[in-house]
Amino acid sequence: MTLVIVKPRKGIVPTESRRRMVESAAILLATRGLDGTAFSDVLEHSGAPRGSIYHHFPGGKDDLVEEAMALAGERALGVLDAVVGQPPIDITQRFLDVWRQVLIRSELRAGCAVLAVTVAADSTDLLDRAAAIFRAWRVRLADLYIQGGMAADPARRLAAIVVSATEGAVVISRAERSLEPFALVAEELLALTPTA
Amino acid sequence: MTLVIVKPRKGIVPTESRRRMVESAAILLATRGLDGTAFSDVLEHSGAPRGSIYHHFPGGKDDLVEEAMALAGERALGVLDAVVGQPPIDITQRFLDVWRQVLIRSELRAGCAVLAVTVAADSTDLLDRAAAIFRAWRVRLADLYIQGGMAADPARRLAAIVVSATEGAVVISRAERSLEPFALVAEELLALTPTA
DNA sequence: GTCTATACGAAGATAGAC
DNA sequence: GTCTATCTTCGTATAGAC
C-alpha cells in the first residue's frame, strides 16, 4: 500500500500548514473549480497563516494548484495498490469506489480536481500536469487489467473508457445532484469488465 | 429535423448581434470555461456592440450563459434528429461524431460548454440548467435506442454511459491534446452498442 | 515563517446620454 | 439599441517589517 503523501519539492521542507493548504486546495478545486478557488478560500479552509503563501508557493497559484492536482492523482493511484493482482472486476470496482465516495461524502458537491483544472486552465503547464495524471490513471488501470489476465489492447480500451466514463459520470451526477447517472454508468462499466 | 435556434425570451426580439453573442459565448465557454469567459471576450469574439449587453441580457452574465448552454444542448439534440429510426449503432456513432468534430475543428482546444459551466457554477440555477441538458441528451438517446429495438433498461444504461464516457473523453483528449483517448473510448462505446 | 499594507488589474454591474 | 463613464468588488502579487 503506497503512502499517500505530497511530494515535497527539492529544498522545501513540507510544514504542516503547507500540507494543509495543498489538501484544502484539492478539495476546493474539486468543488468550486479553478477560478472559483482563491488563495483566501484556501487559507480560510485550511486555517493556514496568511503571510506564508508565497513563502511556500513561490510560483504563486499555479504552484499550489499543481500540487493539489498531484495529490488528487496519487490518491486515486494509491487506492489501486490494494487490488494489485486481483481480477479485473475488482480493479474497476475499486476505481469506481473512489469517485462514488467523493460524491457521497461531499453530498454531490465535489467532483474531480484534475478535470476542473483542465476545463479552466489558461497555461499549457497546468494542462500538461492534468494530462499526465489522466494518463497515469489510464496506464495504471491497463497494467492491472493485463496482470489480471486481459490482453493488452482490450485492457487499454477498457482502462480508457473506465476513466472517461467515471469522470463524465461524476460531473453529470453533480449537475443533477443525483447519484443515478453515476450508478447507471458504474453498472455498465462493471458489466464490461471481465470477472476473472 | 429540428431547427437549431436560440429560444427568444418573451418580449425580447432576437436581433442579429444578440444571436452572435450567444453563439460566441457557447464557443468561449467550451474553450476557456465559465470564469475564463468575460463579457469583453464575448463582445470581441462576436463583434457585437459594447453598449447592448444588459439590454439583451438583463440578468447579466448568467442570462447569457444559460442561453449559450441551451444552444449547445439543442445542437447535440438536433443532430440526432437525422438518425431517428436507425439502428442503435448509428445513434451512438452520430453522437460521437458531434464531439469528435468539436475536438477536431478546435484543434483539441474546445470541449463541452455544459460541462465547463457545471464544474464552475456558483448558482443552483446554472446547475439546474446544466442538469436538464445532460438529462435531455440521456433521455433522447435512450428513446432512440428503444426505437431501434433495445429493451428499456439496457437502453437507459447504454445512454448513460455514452453521454458520460463521451464527456469524459472530450476532457481527457483536450488535456492530452491528443485524439487517442477519445478514439479508444469511441471504439469501446461502439462495441457496446447493438448493431441492429 | 509569518505579518500587514498596498499596488495593480480585471470583471460585473449600473447610470444616464444619444 | 447602443454609447461612455464609473462604481464596486475581488483576486493576484509584491514589499518590507517582525
Side-chain angles (χ1 to χ4, degrees), chain A residues 157 161 192, chain B residues 87-97 100 145 150 158 161-162 165-166 182-196:
Chain A
R157 283 197 301 271
I161 200 173
L192 252 177
Chain B
I89 192 80
D90 292 338
I91 313 294
T92 299
Q93 188 70 263
R94 189 78 174 190
F95 191 76
L96 284 168
D97 277 346
R100 199 193 331 263
Y145 289 141
M150 290 184 71
L158 181 59
I161 200 172
V162 166
T166 305
F182 184 89
L184 288 170
V185 167
E187 207 179 329
E188 198 73 3
L189 286 176
L190 290 171
L192 252 176
T193 308
T195 48

Side-chain angles (χ1 to χ4, degrees), chain B residues 24-48:
Chain B
S24 291
I27 294 170
L28 291 170
L29 285 172
T31 310
R32 310 184 192 174
L34 179 58
D35 294 311
T37 301
F39 268 133
S40 56
D41 298 324
V42 174
L43 291 171
E44 190 183 351
H45 187 275
S46 63

Side-chain angles (χ1 to χ4, degrees), chain B residues 63-149:
Chain B
D63 264 21
L64 174 59
V65 169
E66 282 181 13
E67 291 209 34
M69 280 197 292
L71 176 63
E74 293 185 33
R75 283 259 162 88
L77 284 179
V79 167
L80 291 177
D81 288 342
V83 286
V84 172
Q86 295 193 231
I89 192 80
D90 292 338
I91 313 294
T92 299
Q93 188 70 263
R94 189 78 174 190
F95 191 76
L96 284 168
D97 277 346
V98 176
W99 298 104
R100 199 193 331 263
Q101 288 309 316
V102 167
L103 287 173
I104 290 173
R105 281 188 226 166
S106 69
E107 289 174 315
L108 285 302
R109 270 189 264 272
C112 172
V114 187
L115 180 142
V117 173
T118 298
V119 303
D122 50 353
S123 82
T124 312
D125 221 64
L126 286 178
L127 223 49
D128 286 339
R129 302 293 186 130
I133 293 167
F134 285 133
R135 179 169 281 275
W137 288 346
R138 195 149 36 95
V139 167
R140 179 66 167 152
L141 282 175
D143 283 349
L144 291 172
Y145 289 141
I146 291 168
Q147 282 179 45

Side-chain angles (χ1 to χ4, degrees), chain B residues 164-176:
Chain B
S164 293
T166 305
E167 289 283 320
V170 167
V171 172
I172 295 172
S173 271
R174 263 180 84 192
E176 299 195 19

